[in-house]
Amino acid sequence: MHSVDQIESANAALTLIRRVVSTASDDAIRQSVEHLQPKTDLADFFSRWLNKMDRPPAVPPIPKNDPDFAALTTGEEMIALGRRYQNCAAQQVPLVATGSHAYIEWLHEPGAIADCRRTTDGRFVLVDIFVHRNGRPSPALCATVRRKLEARGIPALSSGDGCPRVRDVLHLLGMWDTCGDLGFGHEADMEEGLAALEQELSGEVANAA
């Protein structure tokens, strides 16, 4: 570290680590510092600690036994999520640790990840949905996940309602800073997706019985 700003930022990072990692005692942190290599990058050092996160500052309102969703609340779960979906979820651990983001997995085939942001009043809002390898889900899947999350108190960020296919129109006009395609304007697809979901869940219940 070569400046006062760097020192203050490092101290703030250590404060964050102590808050979200239950094993981050002073002795444990001191020992890890003593074992640092001369050219270890500070970002790598802090990231390794945050990957041990087990008590995030904010958790979305998804019950532990929810049949449709699982909230990812630990560094280990985020890393495993990245492996399953072959994406960069592991790199998003610091966002969960700071309490600004939450990631929720849709547990039914083909699986999906809901990207949520936290508002200043402590609630979460859905901003995007991804599938394997950061692919785009079908409108039916988007609409189903969006509706199910809304029923659990997590609304979706509006993409605007001035015209149909808002996101596509904005992209046509060169505007790319938009929220994900969350299935707005695809009510027929949504009903089809919900019908398929109900059939799938009915099959799961029958098999369990």
Side-chain angles (χ1 to χ4, degrees):
M1 291 180 283
H2 306 287
S3 69
V4 173
D5 282 345
Q6 279 187 312
I7 293 172
E8 291 178 348
S9 296
N11 282 330
L14 287 172
T15 298
L16 173 63
I17 288 168
R18 290 187 179 99
R19 288 175 179 171
V20 302
V21 181
S22 62
T23 58
S25 64
D26 288 345
D27 286 341
I29 293 174
R30 186 179 299 110
Q31 289 179 19
S32 66
V33 170
E34 290 174 352
H35 288 89
L36 282 177
Q37 298 300 314
K39 294 185 179 181
T40 298
D41 185 78
L42 272 180
D44 291 338
F45 172 73
F46 292 134
S47 293
R48 286 199 295 268
W49 266 108
L50 287 177
N51 285 343
K52 302 176 183 180
M53 173 188 65
D54 57 0
R55 50 184 187 194
V59 178
I62 302 297
K64 289 288 186 182
N65 59 346
D66 192 288
D68 299 323
F69 297 105
L72 289 307
T73 59
T74 70
E76 183 179 358
E77 289 173 348
M78 289 291 293
I79 292 169
L81 183 75
R83 292 196 187 104
R84 288 199 305 277
Y85 285 81
Q86 296 187 340
N87 62 19
C88 60
Q91 299 173 23
Q92 312 309 312
V93 173
L95 297 176
V96 179
T98 60
S100 64
H101 289 55
Y103 295 89
I104 301 171
E105 183 179 7
W106 171 250
L107 299 177
H108 304 288
E109 292 295 334
I113 301 170
D115 180 359
C116 302
R117 308 291 171 89
R118 188 166 173 244
T119 58
T120 55
D121 60 359
R123 294 185 291 180
F124 286 92
V125 59
L126 173 67
V127 298
D128 212 342
I129 301 171
F130 303 98
V131 291
H132 189 256
R133 292 180 180 272
N134 285 334
R136 304 306 313 177
S138 69
L141 178 57
C142 281
T144 300
V145 171
R146 172 168 55 83
R147 176 181 278 188
K148 290 281 187 177
L149 284 176
E150 185 173 2
R152 288 158 173 79
I154 303 176
L157 187 67
S158 173
S159 60
D161 56 5
C163 65
R165 300 178 65 90
V166 173
R167 189 166 180 262
D168 293 334
V169 170
L170 291 176
H171 287 182
L172 180 66
L173 299 173
M175 306 293 291
W176 297 93
D177 187 19
T178 61
C179 67
D181 186 355
L182 301 178
F184 290 109
H186 295 278
E187 296 305 318
D189 290 329
M190 178 171 63
E191 296 304 327
E192 177 185 342
L194 287 171
L197 172 63
E198 293 299 334
Q199 183 176 0
E200 175 187 343
L201 293 179
S202 297
E204 290 178 1
V205 172
N207 291 334

